[in-house]
Structure formats: structure tokens, C-alpha cells
């Protein structure tokens, strides 16, 4: 492989090679560029045979391709068939409306079937939700599907006791009663309330996730929590209904439905600003596109702008945190001296969190460390950054000449959306594939065991009284309700099908494999595009007209098996990680320090393994796109080539990734600052047009996250371009020597960047005596 002093050289020394005078291009490597690629790792291992032994100067691009990893493609198709079968069974057995729409006490789905015109769910007596059993049995009050939520506070029972006209009362309360026949509705108001056909009272409510919740009654002081909302005479109960009870009921009900006031406020903020978030994300798309286009012509300038922007941005945040810390530190407010564990989990927790001295101290320390790390990186890696910037310029040229590649990521992204959408639909159908579960409840802790009909048959003969939380069916429990009105057979939930677990396992695995499959498809297509650019000798005149179309054809017709193989490996690792997290949640209460440590070690190892396999897969796809070899051979050749040039990989490729990451960070910072200025009211011209929000940071968070993913999609093309050019460059170095017979395929600027001079006849004459 190498000279007599080492086996790990990229370029072996020819027997009669003339003594060339190599030129220093300003970076800190040995003048003899043949030694630049000596990794110094494992000197007794050769990492395969270098391409220097190729005897021709033909491009490694395979002109005649063959199908690769066909068995993996067949396996993928078989799995898709199985996934389709699971979806078919779920669609046949499930009803997605059970999950989307709420269900009343009798098991009727609001907005469906006979309740098609009643889409919201109303609970008669929210104070029943104060019972801690609400977390298991649900709210022990009658649930009724209604056409719309009440828009006023009204008590039909109280009005009836005051002697108000019965017909007028019925007209006002009928929209909030059970759908019964006209004959049944002729009964007096007291009887309708007693039989729980109509509510004794209701409050002005708003609809949240299909359920009617009373509008917020939060008071400015604690004393008003005792303010009476509904008088005892109007409820049919034994006490008045206060604001505090309503708020407590909403909180406990929120625990059962996973709804909190905080979540409701976030939801309302998103409802008010969704169109503004959409415009901001469109702006992020335009900004990312413009940034990429400018990099085609001003790559070096744009990278330095990214570095300067990040430097100033982190520095500005550090200064702001220090400024806030100074004033919080001087504050005499006792609230500022609490720690995070003393805060109450309320909708105002974010505001309370930002008042704490420890919060701004933590922000200042973290930002200070990040700022210091960035400064040190720029100081010690400045020469490598210069080389990396030059390589990015080469990537810019490739992207500029293959401009259609910028829009290609839209295709795999849309395909991934299809996979995610299919997963969600199947998951919803599987979740709704089950029987309705009803449980016994007794209002006011009434003991109905002595009443006729309030018992059930066990083991075919024994008669046992119903106990609270026993399972029941409405038909069998009806005699008990007739004899004891306080007894209820309440719908609670849908039980899961016995096959739910393995079917959902298949569904989740299908999500991972499908998403990673189309991500790999995008990578191998872009690798085909940029490798075609590199291995074209005259890049101005000889480039094919439709490189993107050719690359898509090759990937689709010949290499879907390789894509399935690589994505399967990542999907298996991700599935193991998911199962480990599931086990951790299930065993959380049994965990001790040792088991926690073991689980975290396993999670860390799996995370590292996934990152490593993603790196291997990416380079394997590049080799496959160039040579049309199967996954294992492509991965082996790519790995050996990189290991033979490990110094270059560590020094150059990682720095390029870091600089491109800074570009993404600039996009995120710009959109984040603009959205902050907008929603915090810092722009007087549009301040009055911004809707009033509970938390102005809600749209900002969604905009920042969305902007990062958008920027990643655009910069992903650059990442793939640089990785492909880098791998092709390494192979070019081994295949060719720069002579007239075996010239390099790299451009002249790339030769200068990486210190490789073309060997020409004129230079030979100049060096000859």
C-alpha cells in the first residue's frame, strides 16, 4: 500500500518517481502531500487496497447499472403488505370517530349517526368532577351531546321553583337535554331534571376539543372563590355552587382528559395566530432560498456573515441575560429568591420562572460557556475554517450548476408526510378498535345494594350487589337505575383489542422504516447528482442535461433494495430505543439508581450507534450512486477510503458541517428575532394589529422550530453536495496522479484548496536539470 516506512499511505511511491517540489498553500500539513492522508491510526492495517492500482483514467461512474440488494427490496414489499393488512383489520374493526369525537353517557358518538347535528359534549354537573375517582372513572355526571355550548348562565330547576312558565323554561333548556320523544318531554321540568333528561343548571361555556367548558372564572383574589355561582335551590343538591368549585372541577376534569388551562391558552393563542405563523414560515422558506442562492455567488462572504451573526447573536443574548441578572439580583421581591422546585405548576409558571434569580444566572452561565467555546473554536481552527470555506465554495458551484437539486428535497419530504399521515390514520383506527366500557357509579355515595335489580350474577348462580367501579352494561343495569336513581352505568372508555399491542408495534416500525426509507432515497438521488458533476471532466460543456432525472431513475429502478437495507438498519435501532423508553416508563416506579444508570447507559450507546450507522449509510449511498454496488460492498469501500484519509475526514469534513450548521442557526436567529419583535409589540406600526395573546412566546416557539426544519431541508442539499464531493475527491486522489495520462477530475480551485498540484509536462521540464 505505501512506502517502506508504513502501510497506511494513500499514494505509494513509484520506483522511479522524480523528486517534485511541492508548494505550501498556507495550511499546516507536510509539504509532501502524499503524507497528508497518513492517518497515524493502526499502522499495521491497510484498510483495503487503494484505487491507485487502477490502470485507466475512466470515471468510476458505472455506465451500466444492475439492481442491488433485491432481497431487501422484496422484504420491504412484504412488510408493506403486512402493514397494509394491519391497516385493513384496524379500519374494519375500528371507528376513527370514536377517537376524534367525544362520547356521551350512553355511548353515543357526538357528531355521528343519530347525533350528527350534536357535535359538542355537555356535562350536567361539573362539581361531580371534584371526586378524586375522576382520574379512573371519569366525571360522574350525565354527559349529553348538544348542538352548541351554552351562551348564558341559566338554571331551569330554579326558574321552575320560582313559578316561571314551564313552556318558556323548556324552550330555553331543550337544546341541552337528551334527545327524547315529544311525549317524554311533556313531563314537568322537575321530573325531567330528576330523571337526568335535562340539566338542573348550566353555565356559559366555550368548546374545547369538542367539550363544553365554562369560561374562565379565575378571580383576582382568593376571597371571590367563595362567590356563589348557582344557588342551592337551583341545583337540586344540598349546597351552593361556588367559583372555587367550578375551577376545581375544571382542573380535575382536565387531569382526566389531559387538558389543562395552560394547554387551553396555548391552543387559543395558536388559533389566533396560525395565519401569522404560516406567513412567518413562508418567510423562512424565502430567506433560506435566498441565502442558498447568494451562497452560489458569495459563498465565502455568506459563511463569514453566518459566523459573525452567530457571534453577535450569542454575545447579545449573553449581554441581555447579564443585564436581567443584574436587576433581578438587586430586587427585594422575595419571589425572585425562590428556586424552581418552589414554583407552583400554574398557567403562569413561565412568568414566575422568568422572575427567578437562578433562572437568569443559569442563562448567563450557559450562554457564557457557549460564547467562550465559539471564540476558542474560531481562534484555533481559523486555518481549517478557511479551507472548509473554500470547499463550501466548490459545493456552491455544484449546487449552482445543478440548481434543480435545491427543490428536490420537497419530493422526499412530501413522501415522508404521506408515511406519517398513514401511520396516524392506522394508529387512530387501532386505538378505536375495541368495545365500549361502562362502569358503575353512585352519586353522593349512595348505597343501592338493597334495591331490587342492583345486583349481578357471578359464576352463573351467585347474586352479588353492584359495587362502585364494577363493569356494567346499560341494558342489564337499567332495572337498578329505575329502583335507585342515584345509580349510574357510566361510559368510561374504549377497551383495547387483544391484538392491539403487536399491531401497534408493526405500525410504529412501519413509520420508522418508511420515514428513513424516503430520507435515504433523497440522499442517494442527491449523491447521484453531485457525483455526476464531479466525475465530468469538462464541467462547463459536458454536464448532462437532466442529471436529477437520471439520478432519480437510477435510484428508483436499480437501488431501492440498497435504500431499504440501509433504512432497515436505522429503523431497527430506533425501534430498540423506543422499546427501551417504553420499558423505562413502565418500570419507573420500581427504578433505583442502578437501574436508572443502566438504562441511561443503554440509551446513550444506542444513540451513538444510530449516529454511527447514519454516517456509514450516508457514505454507502454515495458509493452506491457512483458504482452501483450493493449496500455492504459500498459501505466497506466508503469506510476503507475514509479510514485511509482519516485526518482529512476529522479536520475538514466536520468543520464544513459546523459552518453549514451556523448558516442554519442564522436563519433561525433572524426569524426568531423578527417574530419576537412582532409579537412582543416592539414594532409600533403593527402593534395594534397583533391579536391579544395569553403568552406571546407561543407563536415564536412554533416559528423558531419550523424555521429550523425548513433551513435544515435547504442546507441538507449543501451537506450532501459537500459530502459527495469530498468522498469523490478522495477517490480521485487515489485513482489519478495529475499527469497528462491520468489527470485529476477535480477543478483547479479544488486542487489549490487541498494542496494537490497537477503534474504537467511543463513542470517536468522545469524540474529537470
Amino acid at each position: 500500500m505505501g512506502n517502506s516506512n508504513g502501510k497506511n499511505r494513500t499514494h505509494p511511491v513509484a520506483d522511479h518517481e522524480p523528486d517534485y517540489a511541492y508548494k505550501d498553500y498556507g495550511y499546516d500539513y507536510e509539504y509532501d502531500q502524499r503524507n497528508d492522508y497518513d492517518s497515524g491510526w493502526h499502522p499495521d492495517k491497510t484498510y483495503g487496497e487503494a484505487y491507485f492500482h487502477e490502470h485507466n483514467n475512466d470515471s468510476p461512474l458505472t455506465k451500466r447499472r444492475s439492481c442491488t440488494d433485491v432481497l431487501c427490496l422484496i422484504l420491504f414489499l412484504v412488510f408493506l403488505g403486512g402493514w397494509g393488512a394491519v391497516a385493513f383489520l384496524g379500519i374494519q374493526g375500528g371507528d376513527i370517530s370514536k377517537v376524534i369525537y367525544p362520547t356521551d353517557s350512553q355511548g353515543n358518538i357526538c357528531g355521528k349517526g343519530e347525533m350528527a347535528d350534536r357535535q359538542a359534549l355537555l356535562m350536567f354537573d361539573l362539581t361531580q368532577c371534584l371526586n378524586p375517582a375522576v382520574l379512573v372513572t371519569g366525571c360522574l355526571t350525565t354527559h349529553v351531546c348538544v348542538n352548541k355550548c351554552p351562551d348564558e348562565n341559566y338554571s331551569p330547576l330554579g326558574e321552575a321553583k320560582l313559578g316561571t312558565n314551564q313552556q318558556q323554561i323548556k324552550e330555553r333548556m331543550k337544546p341541552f337535554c337528551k334527545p327524547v320523544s315529544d311525549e317524554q318531554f311533556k313531563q314537568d321540568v322537575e321530573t325531567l331534571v330528576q330523571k337526568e333528561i335535562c340539566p338542573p343548571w348550566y353555565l356559559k361555556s366555550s368548546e374545547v376539543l369538542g367539550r363544553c367548558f365554562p369560561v374562565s372564572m379565575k378571580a383576582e383574589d382568593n376571597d371571590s372563590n367563595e362567590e356563589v355561582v348557582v344557588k342551592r335551590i337551583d341545583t337540586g343538591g344540598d349546597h351552593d355552587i361556588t367559583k372555587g368549585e367550578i375551577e376545581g372541577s375544571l382542573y380535575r376534569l382536565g387531569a382526566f382528559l389531559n387538558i389543562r388551562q395552560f394547554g387551553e391558552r396555548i391552543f387559543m393563542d395558536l388559533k389566533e395566530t396560525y395565519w401569522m405563523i404560516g406567513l412567518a414560515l413562508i418567510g423562512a422558506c424565502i430567506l433560506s432560498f435566498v441565502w442558498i442562492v447568494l451562497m452560489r455567488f458569495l459563498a465565502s462572504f455568506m459563511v463569514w456573515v453566518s459566523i459573525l451573526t452567530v457571534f453577535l447573536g450569542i454575545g447579545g443574548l449573553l449581554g441581555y441575560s447579564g443585564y436581567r441578572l443584574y436587576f433581578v439580583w438587586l430586587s427585594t421581591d422575595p419571589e425572585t429568591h425562590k428556586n424552581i422546585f418552589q414554583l407552583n405548576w400554574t398557567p403562569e409558571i413561565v412568568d414566575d420562572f422568568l422572575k427567578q434569580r437562578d433562572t437568569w444566572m443559569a442563562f448567563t452561565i450557559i450562554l457564557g460557556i457557549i460564547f467562550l467555546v465559539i471564540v476558542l473554536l474560531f481562534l484555533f481552527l481559523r486555518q481549517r475554517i478557511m479551507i472548509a470555506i473554500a470547499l463550501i465554495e466548490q459545493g456552491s458551484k455544484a449546487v449552482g450548476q445543478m440548481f434543480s437539486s435545491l427543490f428536490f428535497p420537497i419530493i422526499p419530504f412530501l413522501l415522508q408526510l404521506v408515511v406519517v399521515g398513514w401511520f396516524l390514520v392506522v394508529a387512530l383506527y387501532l386505538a378505536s378498535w375495541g368495545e365500549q366500557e361502562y362502569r358503575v357509579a353512585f352519586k353522593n355515595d349512595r348505597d343501592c345494594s338493597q334495591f331490587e335489580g342492583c345486583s349481578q350474577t357471578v359464576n352463573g348462580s351467585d347474586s352479588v350487589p353492584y359495587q362502585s367501579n364494577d363493569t356494567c352494561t346499560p341494558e342489564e343495569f337499567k332495572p337498578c337505575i329505575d329502583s335507585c336513581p342515584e345509580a349510574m352505568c357510566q361510559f368510561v372508555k374504549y377497551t383495547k383489542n387483544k391484538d392491539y399491542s403487536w399491531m401497534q408495534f408493526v405500525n410504529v416500525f412501519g413509520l420508522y422504516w418508511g420515514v428513513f426509507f424516503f430520507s435515504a432515497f433523497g440522499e442517494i438521488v442527491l449523491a447521484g447528482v453531485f457525483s455526476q458533476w464531479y466525475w465530468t471532466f469538462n464541467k462547463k460543456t459536458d454536464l448532462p442535461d437532466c442529471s436529477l432525472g437520471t439520478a432519480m431513475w437510477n435510484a428508483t429502478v436499480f437501488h431501492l433494495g440498497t435504500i431499504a437495507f440501509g433504512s432497515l438498519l436505522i429503523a431497527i435501532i430506533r425501534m430498540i430505543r423506543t422499546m427501551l423508553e417504553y420499558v423505562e416508563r413502565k418500570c419507573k416506579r420500581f427504578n433505583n439508581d442502578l437501574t436508572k444508570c443502566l438504562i441511561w447507559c443503554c440509551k446513550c450507546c444506542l444513540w451513538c450507534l444510530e449516529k454511527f450507522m447514519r454516517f456509514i449509510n450516508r457514505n454507502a449511498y454515495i458509493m452506491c450512486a457512483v458504482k452501483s454496488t450493493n449496500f455492504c460492498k459500498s459501505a466497506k469501500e466508503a469506510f476503507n477510503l475514509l479510514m485511509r484519509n482519516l485526518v482529512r475526514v476529522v479536520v475538514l469534513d466536520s468543520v464544513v458541517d459546523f459552518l453549514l450548521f451556523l448558516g442554519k442557526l442564522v436563519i433561525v436567529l433572524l426569524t426568531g428575532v423578527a417574530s419576537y419583535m412582532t409579537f412582543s409589540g416592539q414594532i409600533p406600526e403593527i402593534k395594534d394589529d397583533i391579536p391579544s395573546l395569553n403568552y406571546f412566546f407561543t407563536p415564536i416557539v412554533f416559528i423558531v422550530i419550523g424555521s429550523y426544519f425548513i433551513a435544515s431541508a435547504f442546507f441538507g442539499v449543501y451537506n450532501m453536495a459537500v459530502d459527495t464531493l469530498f468522498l469523490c475527491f478522495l477517490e480521485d486522489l487515489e485513482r489519478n496522479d495529475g499527469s497528462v495520462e491520468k489527470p485529476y477530475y477535480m477543478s483547479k480551485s479544488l486542487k489549490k484548496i487541498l494542496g494537490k498540484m497537477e503534474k504537467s509536462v511543463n513542470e517536468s521540464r522545469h524540474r529537470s536539470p
Side-chain angles (χ1 to χ4, degrees):
M1 273 298 302
N3 56 25
S4 59
N5 296 326
K7 296 182 179 181
N8 201 28
R9 306 292 187 186
T10 298
H11 297 286
V13 179
D15 292 338
H16 303 288
E17 187 176 6
D19 185 17
Y20 293 106
Y22 290 95
K23 185 178 180 180
D24 178 14
Y25 281 90
Y27 48 85
D28 50 356
Y29 290 114
E30 295 291 338
Y31 287 172
D32 187 347
Q33 300 302 326
R34 294 171 302 181
N35 295 333
D36 287 356
Y37 310 101
D38 188 347
S39 67
W41 294 81
H42 304 289
D44 296 328
K45 191 168 183 179
T46 61
Y47 294 111
E49 185 178 7
Y51 296 108
F52 183 83
H53 298 282
E54 298 287 341
H55 298 293
N56 58 69
N57 189 42
D58 293 339
S59 162
L61 282 173
T62 301
K63 302 297 187 294
R64 195 168 177 181
R65 293 182 174 268
S66 59
C67 295
T68 55
D69 299 299
V70 178
L71 290 178
C72 289
L73 178 59
I74 294 174
L75 177 63
F76 182 64
L77 295 176
V78 170
F79 175 79
L80 290 182
W83 195 11
V86 169
F88 176 77
L89 294 175
I91 292 172
Q92 273 206 327
D95 183 0
I96 200 170
S97 60
K98 295 178 181 178
V99 180
I100 297 176
Y101 301 100
T103 305
D104 68 9
S105 298
Q106 282 69 49
N108 300 313
I109 301 173
C110 300
K112 301 292 291 185
E114 297 179 355
M115 301 293 174
D117 59 339
R118 293 170 169 255
Q119 301 179 351
L121 185 71
L122 176 69
M123 287 157 278
F124 279 5
D125 188 359
L126 270 176
T127 59
Q128 296 296 324
C129 300
L130 284 170
N131 191 328
V134 67
L135 298 175
V136 178
T137 63
C139 193
L140 303 180
T141 186
T142 303
H143 297 58
V144 175
C145 297
V146 296
N147 179 261
K148 64 176 184 177
C149 295
D151 55 5
E152 62 175 348
N153 297 339
Y154 186 65
S155 174
L157 183 61
E159 292 290 332
K161 291 181 177 180
L162 293 175
T164 306
N165 184 276
Q166 291 268 324
Q167 191 60 32
Q168 293 179 355
I169 298 174
K170 289 182 180 181
E171 288 179 1
R172 292 181 67 176
M173 72 176 185
K174 186 174 184 179
F176 311 111
C177 297
K178 293 180 181 178
V180 295
S181 63
D182 294 337
E183 187 66 27
Q184 288 180 285
F185 203 69
K186 288 181 180 179
Q187 302 174 84
D188 60 72
V189 173
E190 290 86 347
T191 303
L192 292 174
V193 170
Q194 184 179 6
K195 292 185 176 181
E196 297 191 342
I197 296 175
C198 295
W201 53 274
Y202 51 81
L203 301 174
K204 182 179 180 180
S205 306
S206 60
E207 184 178 337
V208 179
L209 300 181
R211 294 166 176 83
C212 297
F213 288 93
V215 294
S216 180
M217 297 184 177
K218 190 171 181 66
E220 297 299 328
D221 55 78
N222 296 330
D223 293 339
S224 61
N225 282 334
E226 302 301 323
E227 181 180 339
V228 175
V229 178
V230 184
K231 296 181 179 179
R232 178 176 55 186
I233 190 175
D234 299 336
T235 65
D238 56 0
H239 67 286
D240 297 331
I241 306 299
T242 65
K243 281 187 178 181
E245 282 186 292
I246 297 296
E247 285 293 325
S249 302
L250 287 174
Y251 185 83
R252 288 192 181 274
L253 185 61
F256 179 68
L257 299 172
N258 290 325
I259 300 170
R260 290 288 189 272
Q261 194 174 16
F262 179 76
E264 182 180 347
R265 292 184 178 185
I266 295 291
F267 179 79
M268 295 304 296
D269 287 346
L270 292 177
K271 187 176 180 181
E272 290 289 333
T273 59
Y274 72 92
W275 63 274
M276 302 180 75
I277 295 174
L279 289 178
L281 295 181
I282 293 174
C285 286
I286 297 173
L287 181 60
S288 299
F289 181 76
V290 171
W291 193 275
I292 293 296
V293 171
L294 289 176
M295 285 188 69
R296 166 64 183 89
F297 305 99
L298 304 168
S300 179
F301 174 76
M302 297 303 293
V303 171
W304 282 114
V305 167
S306 300
I307 293 173
L308 182 61
T309 303
V310 171
F311 185 80
L312 294 177
I314 300 297
L317 290 175
L318 176 60
Y320 178 75
S321 296
Y323 172 80
R324 289 292 301 268
L325 175 63
Y326 174 76
F327 285 100
V328 170
W329 198 278
L330 296 179
S331 175
T332 57
D333 186 356
E335 293 292 322
T336 62
H337 297 281
K338 290 183 178 180
N339 60 54
I340 190 172
F341 301 105
Q342 294 175 308
L343 299 181
N344 295 320
W345 185 260
T346 65
E348 288 75 28
I349 188 171
V350 175
D351 294 333
D352 295 340
F353 180 73
L354 294 178
K355 292 178 181 178
Q356 307 308 308
R357 182 177 64 183
D358 292 348
T359 299
W360 293 105
M361 182 183 293
F363 284 165
T364 304
I365 294 173
I366 293 172
L367 289 171
I369 294 173
I370 294 174
F371 186 78
L372 179 61
V373 169
I374 292 176
V375 170
L376 293 177
L377 284 175
F378 291 155
L379 289 177
F380 291 102
L381 297 178
R382 61 188 184 278
Q383 289 184 333
R384 295 169 184 175
I385 289 174
M386 293 293 294
I387 300 174
I389 290 174
L391 185 57
I392 291 175
E393 288 180 335
Q394 295 303 303
S396 299
K397 292 180 180 180
V399 173
Q401 289 185 276
M402 304 291 187
F403 199 69
S404 57
S405 61
L406 277 178
F407 303 96
F408 170 73
I410 296 175
I411 296 175
F413 175 72
L414 293 177
L415 293 174
Q416 286 177 324
L417 285 183
V418 171
V419 172
V420 173
W422 176 256
F423 161 77
L424 292 175
V425 170
V426 175
L428 289 174
Y429 272 110
L430 291 178
S432 64
W433 186 11
E435 299 296 326
Q436 294 174 334
E437 180 179 305
Y438 297 84
R439 290 192 176 273
V440 175
F442 299 102
K443 291 189 293 185
N444 302 321
D445 296 327
R446 178 66 182 274
D447 182 9
C448 296
S449 58
Q450 305 302 321
F451 288 86
E452 184 180 357
C454 289
S455 59
Q456 57 183 330
T457 302
V458 180
N459 298 327
S461 58
D462 299 335
S463 181
V464 179
Y466 279 110
Q467 301 294 325
S468 180
N469 210 35
D470 284 347
T471 56
C472 60
T473 59
E475 296 77 13
E476 295 178 356
F477 199 76
K478 191 174 185 305
C480 181
I481 297 177
D482 293 337
S483 58
C484 183
E486 286 80 3
M488 300 176 62
C489 185
Q490 178 85 18
F491 168 79
V492 177
K493 63 180 180 180
Y494 292 97
T495 57
K496 294 179 180 177
N497 183 275
K498 59 183 177 63
D499 297 319
Y500 174 82
S501 296
W502 72 265
M503 286 186 169
Q504 202 63 279
F505 178 91
V506 172
N507 191 38
V508 173
F509 188 78
L511 169 69
Y512 290 150
W513 199 356
V515 169
F516 296 143
F517 180 89
F518 289 117
S519 176
F521 176 78
E523 290 182 352
I524 202 169
V525 169
L526 290 176
V529 171
F530 295 119
S531 61
Q532 179 71 55
W533 180 87
Y534 186 93
W535 293 112
T536 300
F537 196 80
N538 192 331
K539 296 175 174 55
K540 293 184 178 180
T541 59
D542 296 343
L543 285 174
D545 294 331
C546 191
S547 297
L548 180 60
T550 303
M552 291 180 66
W553 171 265
N554 291 338
T556 305
V557 175
F558 299 108
H559 304 313
L560 287 183
T562 299
I563 295 171
F565 194 162
S567 56
L568 173 62
L569 296 177
I570 304 297
I572 291 174
I573 297 172
R574 180 61 62 87
M575 196 67 199
I576 295 174
R577 291 179 61 188
T578 303
M579 294 170 63
L580 185 63
E581 291 175 359
Y582 176 79
V583 171
E584 182 185 20
R585 286 196 301 269
K586 286 293 183 181
C587 302
K588 198 166 187 178
R589 56 182 174 177
F590 305 110
N591 281 355
N592 53 39
D593 292 340
L594 178 60
T595 57
K596 288 179 180 179
C597 179
L598 292 175
I599 289 176
W600 274 103
C601 288
C602 292
K603 290 168 70 174
C604 180
C605 291
L606 288 171
W607 181 86
C608 294
L609 178 61
E610 181 175 332
K611 289 296 182 182
F612 175 73
M613 285 308 305
R614 284 179 179 273
F615 173 78
I616 294 295
N617 282 12
R618 191 179 184 89
N619 289 284
Y621 296 146
I622 296 173
M623 279 295 185
C624 178
V626 173
K627 302 184 178 182
S628 189
T629 50
N630 61 48
F631 179 85
C632 292
K633 186 175 181 180
S634 299
K636 178 184 176 182
E637 290 192 7
F639 181 77
N640 286 336
L641 179 60
L642 292 171
M643 289 302 295
R644 291 196 298 268
N645 300 273
L646 189 59
V647 170
R648 287 289 190 190
V649 175
V650 174
V651 169
L652 189 57
D653 204 37
S654 55
V655 176
V656 170
D657 291 339
F658 173 69
L659 293 180
L660 292 177
F661 171 75
L662 292 185
K664 291 188 286 186
L665 204 59
V666 170
I667 303 295
V668 174
L669 282 174
L670 291 177
T671 53
V673 170
S675 58
Y676 175 82
M677 298 290 289
T678 300
F679 291 105
S680 63
Q682 302 294 323
I683 306 177
E685 291 78 7
I686 62 173
K687 182 177 181 180
D688 295 335
D689 298 325
I690 303 300
S692 178
L693 302 176
N694 295 298
Y695 309 110
F696 76 89
F697 62 80
T698 300
I700 298 175
V701 170
F702 280 84
I703 289 171
V704 167
I705 295 174
S707 299
Y708 178 79
F709 284 110
I710 290 170
S712 296
F714 280 94
F715 279 85
V717 177
Y718 258 85
N719 272 319
M720 200 65 206
V722 171
D723 288 346
T724 303
L725 297 182
F726 184 70
L727 203 64
C728 292
F729 158 75
L730 295 180
E731 182 166 345
D732 193 11
L733 288 175
E734 295 189 350
R735 281 182 172 274
N736 307 300
D737 58 8
S739 64
V740 174
E741 295 78 15
K742 301 181 71 174
Y744 292 125
Y745 277 83
M746 67 185 80
S747 62
K748 292 181 180 180
S749 53
L750 191 56
K751 297 173 200 174
K752 183 178 179 181
I753 293 163
L754 298 164
K756 297 306 295 181
M757 298 179 62
E758 195 170 19
K759 302 173 185 177
S760 64
V761 175
N762 293 331
E763 290 174 332
S764 298
R765 290 176 180 173
H766 178 72
R767 287 189 292 268
S768 62

